[in-house]
């Protein structure tokens, strides 16, 4: 949230603990954490293999350690929201979509997707402060874009996005349910 000195102090403490335990690989569910651990920790001595959970799940499916073919989402209309720090900041667009393809669902892209995706409204600690002046909340606008697809489900890959899009869906009177990709995979694989 802007306090760089505090960030560096906390990061160095975290790095000291993780290095003490011999951590080599980190799997994150949060794209913000993914970005920080992957791109900012190395300059402070924290050199780890950092993987987002969509990449991890894709590898498990590729290794046939889990199976979701013909699952409960077969033929359902699903749209995917690209989290800012997973997509634009780190170029990860295909792993989440490949997971959706494994569900044998009908993937319907929003008008603004991939590098042009609209933020959910939580980024930059915006989720934790009062709204600024404007004509519409960002999460309401994004939920409207998801609603326009006619999808039954909105897939997310970030806990902040899930919250913001769920709240936005209520405001937009959207019938779609918002779920994280990990939830979809767990339900389809009956884990």
């Amino acid at each position: 949230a802007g306090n760089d000195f505090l960030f560096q102090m906390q990061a160095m403490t975290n790095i000291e603990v993780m290095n003490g335990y011999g951590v080599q690989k980190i799997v994150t569910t949060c794209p913000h954490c993914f970005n920080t651990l992957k791109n900012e920790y190395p300059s402070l001595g924290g050199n780890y293999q950092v993987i987002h959970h969509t990449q991890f799940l894709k590898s498990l499916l590729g290794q046939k350690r889990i199976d979701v073919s013909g699952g409960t989402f077969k033929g359902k209309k699903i749209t995917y929201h690209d989290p800012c720090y997973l997509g634009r900041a780190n170029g990860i667009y295909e792993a989440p979509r490949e997971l959706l393809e494994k569900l044998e669902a009908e993937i319907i892209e929003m008008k603004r997707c991939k590098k042009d995706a609209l933020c959910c409204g939580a980024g930059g600690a915006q989720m934790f402060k009062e709204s600024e002046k404007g004509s519409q909340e960002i999460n309401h606008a994004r939920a409207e874009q998801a609603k326009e697809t006619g999808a039954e489900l909105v897939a997310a890959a970030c806990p902040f996005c899930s919250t913001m899009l769920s709240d936005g869906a209520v405001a937009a009177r959207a019938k779609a349910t918002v779920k994280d990709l990990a939830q979809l995979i767990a339900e389809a694989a009956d884990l």
Side-chain angles (χ1 to χ4, degrees):
N3 190 337
D4 195 49
F5 177 72
L6 179 60
F7 162 75
Q8 288 184 12
M9 296 293 292
Q10 294 281 355
M12 288 190 290
T13 300
N14 291 342
I15 290 165
E16 187 177 320
V17 170
M18 289 190 286
N19 287 348
Y21 282 105
V23 172
Q24 296 175 7
K25 183 187 286 188
I26 301 170
V27 178
T28 71
T29 57
C30 172
H32 302 87
C33 296
F34 173 83
N35 185 68
T36 300
L37 293 165
K38 182 178 186 292
N39 299 318
E40 297 181 31
Y41 270 43
S43 66
L44 300 170
N47 297 295
Y48 315 105
Q49 179 186 4
V50 184
I51 302 168
H52 186 259
H53 75 289
T54 57
Q55 296 170 307
F56 181 68
L57 289 168
K58 180 184 166 203
S59 72
L60 292 178
L61 286 164
Q63 297 166 14
K64 302 200 183 307
R65 293 176 63 190
I66 54 176
D67 179 39
V68 297
S69 58
T72 56
F73 301 103
K74 185 174 184 171
K76 295 220 180 199
K77 293 180 179 179
I78 301 177
T79 192
Y80 172 68
H81 166 76
D82 289 283
C84 298
Y85 275 95
L86 190 61
R88 286 191 304 276
N90 287 285
I92 298 172
Y93 298 109
E94 297 313 315
R97 286 169 172 81
E98 289 173 19
L99 290 177
L100 289 174
E101 288 172 8
K102 294 285 187 185
L103 295 174
E104 299 179 23
E106 181 183 344
I107 304 164
I108 305 168
E109 294 284 3
M110 287 185 242
K111 287 179 186 172
R112 293 188 62 181
C113 62
K114 298 186 179 178
K115 66 178 178 54
D116 296 320
L118 182 65
C119 178
C120 73
Q126 297 298 304
M127 182 178 196
F128 304 107
K129 66 181 204 53
E130 292 298 318
S131 299
E132 296 175 16
K133 290 181 183 178
S135 62
Q136 187 179 30
E137 299 287 334
I138 293 174
N139 62 324
H140 297 182
R142 189 58 168 162
E144 287 285 349
Q145 291 174 3
K147 183 179 176 181
E148 289 171 6
T149 68
E152 303 167 58
L153 284 164
V154 178
C158 169
F160 294 108
C161 294
S162 292
T163 298
M164 297 300 284
L165 293 170
S166 292
D167 291 350
V170 171
R173 293 185 173 91
K175 294 178 184 172
T177 304
V178 179
K179 291 189 177 191
D180 190 279
L181 277 164
Q183 289 176 280
L184 299 176
I185 296 297
E187 289 175 27
D190 199 25
L191 298 176

